[in-house]
Every structure is written in structure tokens, then in C-alpha cells.
Amino acid sequence: MDDQQRRRARREFIRTRHPDRGGDPAAFAAGLAELDLARVSVPSARVTLVTDTPLLLGLLKALVRRISGDHPPPRVR
């Protein structure tokens, strides 16, 4: 398989199995890792899984940040 076919297969895999489209996050990460290992000439992309923070924990963290004065840096400068 050449690089173009590998990229096409990877895009198709992402399109059909992405967690935002109802795919399993663990299976998606494992599948991407397998595709990246099979590809030698193209640098692999890292996959980061982000989970939702429970509401109470998110509120508690925001309250602690507000009280301590430790504000995260702005996203856009």
C-alpha cells in the first residue's frame, strides 16, 4: 500500500469509528494505534482521549480556582 492509500484508509477508519459518531473510544484508540504501527514512512499521530468531568467535580475545581486566585492562562492572546 502506498502513502495515499494508507491515508485514505486511516481517514475512512476515523470517519466510520470516531467516538463522536457513536464509536467505542477504546476500540477507536486501539484501531488508530494499529494503523499507525502498520505505517512506517508516515509519522504517526497521537490520540488523546478526553473524558467529561462530573458536574460536581467541575464546580468544585472552579470554586477552588476562584478562591485561590489561580486562573488558567487565556486561550487566545
Coordinates of all heavy atoms in Angstrom, one line a residue:
M1 N 0.8 -1.2 0.0 CA 0.0 0.0 0.0 C 0.9 1.2 0.0 O 1.8 1.3 0.8 CB -0.8 0.0 1.3 CG -2.3 0.3 1.1 SD -3.2 0.6 2.5 CE -3.7 -1.0 3.1
D2 N 0.6 2.2 -0.8 CA 1.4 3.4 -0.8 C 0.8 4.4 0.2 O -0.2 4.1 0.8 CB 1.4 4.0 -2.2 CG 0.1 4.5 -2.7 OD1 -0.9 4.2 -2.1 OD2 0.1 5.3 -3.7
D3 N 1.5 5.5 0.4 CA 1.1 6.5 1.4 C -0.3 7.1 1.2 O -1.1 7.2 2.2 CB 2.1 7.7 1.4 CG 3.4 7.3 2.1 OD1 3.4 6.2 2.7 OD2 4.4 8.0 1.9
Q4 N -0.7 7.3 0.0 CA -2.0 7.9 -0.3 C -3.1 6.9 0.1 O -4.1 7.2 0.7 CB -2.1 8.2 -1.8 CG -3.4 8.9 -2.1 CD -3.5 9.4 -3.5 OE1 -2.7 8.9 -4.4 NE2 -4.4 10.2 -3.9
Q5 N -2.9 5.6 -0.2 CA -3.9 4.6 0.2 C -4.0 4.4 1.7 O -5.1 4.2 2.2 CB -3.5 3.2 -0.5 CG -3.8 3.2 -2.0 CD -3.2 1.9 -2.6 OE1 -2.3 1.3 -2.1 NE2 -3.8 1.5 -3.7
R6 N -2.8 4.5 2.4 CA -2.8 4.4 3.8 C -3.6 5.6 4.4 O -4.4 5.4 5.4 CB -1.4 4.4 4.3 CG -0.7 3.1 4.1 CD 0.6 3.1 4.8 NE 1.3 1.8 4.4 CZ 2.5 1.7 4.0 NH1 3.3 2.8 3.9 NH2 3.0 0.5 3.8
R7 N -3.3 6.8 3.9 CA -4.1 8.0 4.4 C -5.6 7.8 4.2 O -6.4 8.2 5.0 CB -3.5 9.2 3.8 CG -2.2 9.7 4.4 CD -1.8 11.1 3.9 NE -1.7 11.2 2.5 CZ -0.6 11.1 1.8 NH1 0.5 11.0 2.4 NH2 -0.6 11.3 0.5
R8 N -5.9 7.3 3.0 CA -7.3 7.2 2.7 C -8.0 6.1 3.6 O -9.1 6.4 4.1 CB -7.5 6.7 1.2 CG -8.9 6.8 0.7 CD -8.9 6.5 -0.8 NE -8.2 7.4 -1.5 CZ -7.4 7.2 -2.6 NH1 -7.3 5.9 -3.0 NH2 -6.8 8.1 -3.2
A9 N -7.3 5.0 3.9 CA -7.8 4.0 4.8 C -7.9 4.6 6.2 O -8.9 4.3 6.9 CB -6.9 2.8 4.8
R10 N -6.9 5.4 6.7 CA -7.0 6.0 8.0 C -8.2 6.9 8.1 O -8.9 6.9 9.1 CB -5.7 6.7 8.3 CG -5.6 7.1 9.7 CD -4.2 7.7 10.0 NE -3.9 7.8 11.4 CZ -4.2 8.9 12.1 NH1 -4.8 9.9 11.6 NH2 -3.9 8.9 13.4
R11 N -8.4 7.8 7.1 CA -9.5 8.7 7.1 C -10.8 8.0 7.1 O -11.8 8.4 7.9 CB -9.4 9.6 5.9 CG -8.4 10.8 6.1 CD -8.7 11.8 5.0 NE -8.6 11.3 3.6 CZ -7.5 11.3 2.9 NH1 -6.4 11.8 3.3 NH2 -7.5 10.8 1.7
E12 N -10.9 6.9 6.4 CA -12.2 6.1 6.4 C -12.4 5.5 7.7 O -13.5 5.4 8.2 CB -12.1 5.0 5.3 CG -13.3 4.1 5.2 CD -14.6 4.9 4.8 OE1 -14.5 5.9 4.1 OE2 -15.7 4.5 5.2
F13 N -11.3 5.0 8.4 CA -11.4 4.4 9.7 C -12.0 5.4 10.7 O -12.9 5.2 11.5 CB -10.1 3.8 10.2 CG -10.1 3.3 11.6 CD1 -10.5 2.0 11.8 CD2 -9.7 4.1 12.6 CE1 -10.5 1.6 13.1 CE2 -9.7 3.6 13.9 CZ -10.1 2.4 14.2
I14 N -11.4 6.6 10.6 CA -11.8 7.7 11.6 C -13.2 8.1 11.3 O -14.0 8.3 12.2 CB -10.8 8.9 11.4 CG1 -9.5 8.5 12.0 CG2 -11.4 10.1 12.1 CD1 -8.4 9.6 11.7
R15 N -13.6 8.2 10.0 CA -14.9 8.7 9.7 C -16.0 7.7 10.2 O -17.1 8.1 10.6 CB -15.0 8.8 8.1 CG -16.2 9.5 7.6 CD -16.2 9.7 6.1 NE -15.0 10.3 5.6 CZ -14.2 9.8 4.7 NH1 -14.5 8.6 4.2 NH2 -13.1 10.4 4.3
T16 N -15.7 6.4 10.1 CA -16.7 5.4 10.5 C -16.7 5.0 12.0 O -17.7 4.6 12.5 CB -16.5 4.1 9.6 OG1 -15.2 3.6 9.8 CG2 -16.8 4.4 8.2
R17 N -15.6 5.2 12.6 CA -15.5 4.6 14.0 C -15.2 5.7 15.1 O -14.9 5.3 16.2 CB -14.4 3.6 14.0 CG -14.8 2.3 13.3 CD -13.7 1.3 13.3 NE -14.1 0.1 12.6 CZ -13.8 -0.2 11.4 NH1 -13.1 0.7 10.7 NH2 -14.2 -1.3 10.8
H18 N -15.2 7.0 14.7 CA -14.9 8.0 15.7 C -15.9 8.0 16.8 O -17.1 7.9 16.6 CB -14.9 9.4 15.0 CG -14.2 10.4 15.8 ND1 -14.8 11.1 16.8 CD2 -12.9 10.9 15.8 CE1 -14.0 12.0 17.4 NE2 -12.8 11.8 16.8
P19 N -15.5 8.2 18.1 CA -16.4 8.3 19.2 C -17.5 9.3 19.1 O -18.6 9.2 19.6 CB -15.5 8.6 20.4 CG -14.2 8.1 20.0 CD -14.1 8.3 18.5
D20 N -17.2 10.4 18.4 CA -18.2 11.5 18.3 C -19.4 11.0 17.4 O -20.5 11.6 17.3 CB -17.6 12.7 17.6 CG -16.8 13.5 18.6 OD1 -16.8 13.1 19.8 OD2 -16.0 14.4 18.2
R21 N -19.1 9.9 16.6 CA -20.2 9.3 15.7 C -20.7 8.0 16.3 O -21.2 7.2 15.5 CB -19.6 9.1 14.3 CG -19.3 10.4 13.7 CD -19.0 10.2 12.2 NE -18.8 11.4 11.5 CZ -19.6 11.9 10.6 NH1 -20.7 11.2 10.3 NH2 -19.4 13.0 10.0
G22 N -20.5 7.8 17.6 CA -21.1 6.6 18.2 C -20.1 5.5 18.4 O -20.5 4.4 18.8
G23 N -18.9 5.6 18.0 CA -17.9 4.5 18.1 C -17.4 4.4 19.5 O -17.5 5.3 20.4
D24 N -16.8 3.2 19.8 CA -16.3 3.0 21.1 C -14.9 3.6 21.3 O -14.0 3.4 20.4 CB -16.1 1.4 21.3 CG -15.5 1.1 22.6 OD1 -15.8 1.8 23.6 OD2 -14.8 0.1 22.7
P25 N -14.7 4.5 22.3 CA -13.4 5.2 22.4 C -12.2 4.3 22.5 O -11.1 4.6 21.9 CB -13.6 6.1 23.6 CG -15.0 6.2 23.8 CD -15.6 5.0 23.3
A26 N -12.3 3.2 23.3 CA -11.2 2.3 23.5 C -10.8 1.6 22.2 O -9.7 1.5 21.8 CB -11.5 1.3 24.6
A27 N -11.9 1.2 21.5 CA -11.6 0.5 20.2 C -11.1 1.4 19.1 O -10.2 1.1 18.3 CB -12.9 -0.1 19.7
F28 N -11.5 2.7 19.2 CA -11.0 3.7 18.3 C -9.5 4.0 18.5 O -8.7 4.0 17.5 CB -11.8 5.0 18.4 CG -11.4 6.1 17.6 CD1 -11.6 6.1 16.2 CD2 -10.7 7.2 18.1 CE1 -11.2 7.2 15.4 CE2 -10.3 8.3 17.3 CZ -10.5 8.2 15.9
A29 N -9.1 4.1 19.7 CA -7.7 4.4 20.1 C -6.9 3.2 19.7 O -5.8 3.3 19.1 CB -7.6 4.7 21.5
A30 N -7.4 2.0 20.0 CA -6.6 0.8 19.6 C -6.5 0.6 18.1 O -5.4 0.3 17.6 CB -7.3 -0.4 20.2
G31 N -7.5 0.9 17.4 CA -7.5 0.8 15.9 C -6.6 1.8 15.3 O -5.8 1.5 14.4
L32 N -6.6 3.1 15.8 CA -5.6 4.1 15.3 C -4.2 3.7 15.6 O -3.3 3.9 14.8 CB -5.9 5.4 15.9 CG -7.0 6.3 15.2 CD1 -7.1 7.6 15.9 CD2 -6.7 6.5 13.8
A33 N -4.0 3.2 16.8 CA -2.6 2.7 17.1 C -2.1 1.6 16.2 O -1.0 1.6 15.7 CB -2.5 2.3 18.6
E34 N -3.0 0.7 15.9 CA -2.7 -0.4 15.0 C -2.4 0.1 13.6 O -1.5 -0.3 12.9 CB -3.9 -1.4 14.9 CG -3.6 -2.6 14.2 CD -4.7 -3.6 14.3 OE1 -5.2 -3.8 15.4 OE2 -5.1 -4.2 13.2
L35 N -3.2 1.1 13.1 CA -3.0 1.7 11.8 C -1.7 2.4 11.8 O -0.9 2.4 10.8 CB -4.1 2.6 11.4 CG -5.4 2.0 11.0 CD1 -6.5 3.1 10.8 CD2 -5.2 1.3 9.6
D36 N -1.3 3.1 12.9 CA -0.1 3.9 12.9 C 1.1 3.0 13.0 O 2.2 3.3 12.4 CB -0.1 4.8 14.1 CG -1.1 6.0 13.9 OD1 -1.5 6.3 12.8 OD2 -1.4 6.6 14.9
L37 N 1.0 1.8 13.6 CA 2.1 0.9 13.7 C 2.4 0.3 12.3 O 3.5 0.0 12.0 CB 1.8 -0.2 14.7 CG 2.0 0.2 16.2 CD1 1.6 -0.9 17.1 CD2 3.4 0.7 16.5
A38 N 1.3 0.1 11.5 CA 1.4 -0.6 10.2 C 2.1 0.4 9.2 O 2.6 -0.1 8.2 CB 0.1 -1.0 9.7
R39 N 2.1 1.6 9.5 CA 2.6 2.7 8.6 C 4.0 3.1 9.1 O 4.2 3.5 10.2 CB 1.6 3.8 8.7 CG 1.9 5.0 8.0 CD 0.7 5.9 8.0 NE 0.3 6.2 9.4 CZ -0.3 7.3 9.8 NH1 -0.4 8.2 8.9 NH2 -0.7 7.5 11.0
V40 N 4.9 2.9 8.3 CA 6.3 3.2 8.6 C 6.8 4.5 8.1 O 7.4 5.3 8.8 CB 7.3 2.0 8.1 CG1 8.7 2.4 8.4 CG2 6.9 0.7 8.7
S41 N 6.5 4.8 6.9 CA 7.0 6.0 6.2 C 6.3 7.3 6.6 O 6.9 8.4 6.4 CB 7.0 5.8 4.7 OG 5.6 5.7 4.3
V42 N 5.1 7.2 7.2 CA 4.4 8.4 7.5 C 4.4 8.6 9.0 O 4.1 7.6 9.7 CB 2.9 8.3 7.0 CG1 2.1 9.6 7.4 CG2 2.9 8.1 5.5
P43 N 4.8 9.7 9.6 CA 4.8 9.9 11.1 C 3.4 9.6 11.7 O 2.4 10.0 11.1 CB 5.3 11.3 11.3 CG 5.2 12.0 10.0 CD 5.1 10.9 8.9
S44 N 3.5 9.0 12.8 CA 2.2 8.6 13.5 C 1.6 9.8 14.2 O 2.4 10.7 14.7 CB 2.4 7.5 14.4 OG 3.3 7.8 15.5
A45 N 0.3 9.9 14.3 CA -0.4 10.9 15.1 C -0.7 10.4 16.4 O -1.0 9.2 16.6 CB -1.6 11.4 14.3
R46 N -0.7 11.3 17.4 CA -1.0 10.8 18.8 C -2.5 11.0 19.0 O -3.1 12.0 18.5 CB -0.3 11.7 19.8 CG 1.2 11.5 19.7 CD 1.8 12.0 21.0 NE 2.4 10.9 21.6 CZ 3.4 11.1 22.4 NH1 3.9 12.2 22.7 NH2 4.0 10.0 23.0
V47 N -3.1 10.1 19.7 CA -4.5 10.2 20.0 C -4.7 10.5 21.5 O -4.1 9.8 22.3 CB -5.2 8.8 19.7 CG1 -6.7 8.9 20.1 CG2 -5.1 8.6 18.2
T48 N -5.4 11.5 21.8 CA -5.7 11.8 23.2 C -7.2 11.6 23.5 O -8.0 12.3 22.8 CB -5.3 13.3 23.5 OG1 -3.9 13.4 23.2 CG2 -5.5 13.6 25.0
L49 N -7.6 10.8 24.4 CA -9.0 10.6 24.8 C -9.3 11.6 25.9 O -8.6 11.7 26.9 CB -9.2 9.2 25.3 CG -9.0 8.1 24.2 CD1 -9.2 6.8 24.8 CD2 -10.0 8.3 23.1
V50 N -10.4 12.4 25.7 CA -10.8 13.3 26.7 C -12.2 12.9 27.3 O -13.1 12.6 26.5 CB -11.0 14.7 26.1 CG1 -11.4 15.7 27.1 CG2 -9.7 15.2 25.4
T51 N -12.2 12.8 28.6 CA -13.5 12.4 29.2 C -14.2 13.6 29.8 O -13.5 14.5 30.2 CB -13.3 11.3 30.2 OG1 -12.4 11.8 31.2 CG2 -12.6 10.0 29.6
D52 N -15.4 13.5 30.0 CA -16.2 14.6 30.6 C -15.9 14.5 32.1 O -15.9 13.4 32.7 CB -17.7 14.4 30.4 CG -18.0 14.7 28.9 OD1 -17.3 15.5 28.3 OD2 -19.1 14.2 28.5
T53 N -15.8 15.7 32.7 CA -15.6 15.8 34.2 C -17.0 15.8 34.8 O -17.9 16.5 34.3 CB -14.9 17.1 34.6 OG1 -13.7 17.1 33.9 CG2 -14.7 17.2 36.0
P54 N -17.3 15.0 35.9 CA -18.6 15.1 36.5 C -18.9 16.5 37.0 O -18.0 17.3 37.3 CB -18.4 14.2 37.7 CG -17.3 13.3 37.4 CD -16.4 14.1 36.5
L55 N -20.1 16.9 37.0 CA -20.6 18.3 37.2 C -20.1 18.7 38.6 O -19.5 19.8 38.7 CB -22.1 18.4 37.2 CG -22.7 19.7 37.5 CD1 -22.2 20.7 36.4 CD2 -24.2 19.7 37.5
L56 N -20.2 18.0 39.6 CA -19.9 18.4 41.0 C -18.4 18.6 41.1 O -17.9 19.6 41.7 CB -20.3 17.3 42.0 CG -20.1 17.7 43.5 CD1 -20.9 19.0 43.8 CD2 -20.6 16.6 44.4
L57 N -17.6 17.7 40.5 CA -16.1 17.9 40.5 C -15.7 19.1 39.7 O -14.8 19.9 40.1 CB -15.4 16.7 39.9 CG -13.9 16.7 39.9 CD1 -13.4 16.8 41.3 CD2 -13.4 15.4 39.2
G58 N -16.3 19.4 38.6 CA -16.0 20.6 37.8 C -16.4 21.9 38.6 O -15.6 22.8 38.5
L59 N -17.5 21.9 39.3 CA -17.9 23.1 40.1 C -16.9 23.3 41.2 O -16.5 24.4 41.5 CB -19.3 22.9 40.6 CG -20.4 23.0 39.5 CD1 -21.8 22.7 40.2 CD2 -20.4 24.4 38.9
L60 N -16.5 22.2 41.8 CA -15.6 22.3 43.0 C -14.2 22.8 42.5 O -13.6 23.7 43.1 CB -15.4 20.9 43.6 CG -14.5 20.8 44.8 CD1 -15.0 21.7 45.9 CD2 -14.3 19.4 45.3
K61 N -13.7 22.3 41.3 CA -12.5 22.8 40.8 C -12.5 24.3 40.5 O -11.6 25.0 40.7 CB -12.1 22.0 39.6 CG -11.6 20.6 39.9 CD -11.5 19.7 38.7 CE -10.3 20.0 37.8 NZ -10.2 19.1 36.7
A62 N -13.7 24.7 39.9 CA -13.8 26.1 39.5 C -13.9 27.0 40.8 O -13.3 28.1 40.8 CB -15.1 26.3 38.7
L63 N -14.5 26.5 41.8 CA -14.6 27.2 43.1 C -13.2 27.4 43.7 O -12.8 28.5 44.2 CB -15.6 26.5 44.0 CG -15.8 27.2 45.4 CD1 -16.4 28.6 45.2 CD2 -16.6 26.3 46.3
V64 N -12.5 26.3 43.7 CA -11.1 26.3 44.3 C -10.2 27.3 43.5 O -9.5 28.1 44.1 CB -10.5 24.9 44.3 CG1 -9.0 25.0 44.6 CG2 -11.2 24.1 45.3
R65 N -10.3 27.3 42.2 CA -9.5 28.2 41.3 C -9.9 29.6 41.6 O -9.1 30.5 41.7 CB -9.8 27.9 39.9 CG -8.7 27.0 39.2 CD -8.7 27.1 37.7 NE -10.1 27.1 37.1 CZ -10.6 26.0 36.6 NH1 -10.0 24.8 36.7 NH2 -11.8 26.0 36.1
R66 N -11.2 29.9 41.8 CA -11.7 31.3 42.0 C -11.2 31.8 43.4 O -10.7 32.9 43.5 CB -13.2 31.3 42.0 CG -13.7 32.7 42.0 CD -15.2 32.7 41.9 NE -15.9 33.2 40.8 CZ -15.8 34.4 40.2 NH1 -15.0 35.2 40.5 NH2 -16.5 34.7 39.2
I67 N -11.2 30.9 44.4 CA -10.8 31.3 45.7 C -9.3 31.5 45.8 O -8.8 32.4 46.4 CB -11.3 30.2 46.8 CG1 -12.8 30.3 46.9 CG2 -10.6 30.5 48.1 CD1 -13.4 29.1 47.8
S68 N -8.6 30.6 45.2 CA -7.1 30.7 45.2 C -6.5 31.8 44.3 O -5.4 32.2 44.5 CB -6.5 29.3 44.9 OG -6.7 29.1 43.5
G69 N -7.3 32.3 43.4 CA -6.8 33.3 42.5 C -6.0 32.7 41.4 O -5.3 33.4 40.6
D70 N -5.9 31.4 41.3 CA -5.1 30.7 40.3 C -6.0 30.5 39.0 O -6.7 29.6 38.9 CB -4.6 29.4 40.8 CG -3.8 28.6 39.8 OD1 -3.1 29.3 39.0 OD2 -3.8 27.4 39.8
H71 N -5.8 31.5 38.1 CA -6.6 31.4 36.9 C -5.8 30.8 35.7 O -4.6 31.1 35.6 CB -7.1 32.8 36.5 CG -7.9 33.5 37.5 ND1 -9.2 33.1 37.8 CD2 -7.6 34.5 38.4 CE1 -9.7 33.8 38.8 NE2 -8.8 34.7 39.2
P72 N -6.4 30.0 34.9 CA -5.7 29.4 33.8 C -5.4 30.5 32.8 O -6.0 31.5 32.7 CB -6.7 28.4 33.2 CG -8.0 28.8 33.7 CD -7.8 29.5 35.0
P73 N -4.3 30.3 32.0 CA -4.0 31.3 31.0 C -5.0 31.4 30.0 O -5.8 30.5 29.7 CB -2.7 30.8 30.4 CG -2.7 29.3 30.7 CD -3.4 29.1 32.0
P74 N -5.2 32.6 29.4 CA -6.2 32.8 28.3 C -5.9 31.9 27.1 O -4.8 31.6 26.8 CB -6.1 34.2 28.0 CG -4.7 34.7 28.4 CD -4.3 33.8 29.5
R75 N -7.0 31.5 26.5 CA -6.8 30.6 25.3 C -6.3 31.4 24.1 O -5.6 30.9 23.3 CB -8.2 30.0 24.9 CG -8.7 29.0 26.0 CD -9.9 28.4 25.5 NE -9.8 27.0 25.8 CZ -10.5 26.1 25.3 NH1 -11.4 26.4 24.4 NH2 -10.3 24.8 25.5
V76 N -6.7 32.6 24.0 CA -6.3 33.5 22.9 C -5.6 34.7 23.4 O -6.1 35.3 24.3 CB -7.5 33.9 22.0 CG1 -7.0 34.8 20.8 CG2 -8.2 32.7 21.4
R77 N -4.5 35.0 22.9 CA -3.8 36.2 23.4 C -3.9 37.4 22.5 O -4.0 37.3 21.3 CB -2.3 35.9 23.6 CG -2.1 34.9 24.7 CD -0.7 34.6 24.9 NE -0.7 33.5 25.9 CZ 0.4 33.2 26.6 NH1 1.5 33.9 26.5 NH2 0.4 32.2 27.4

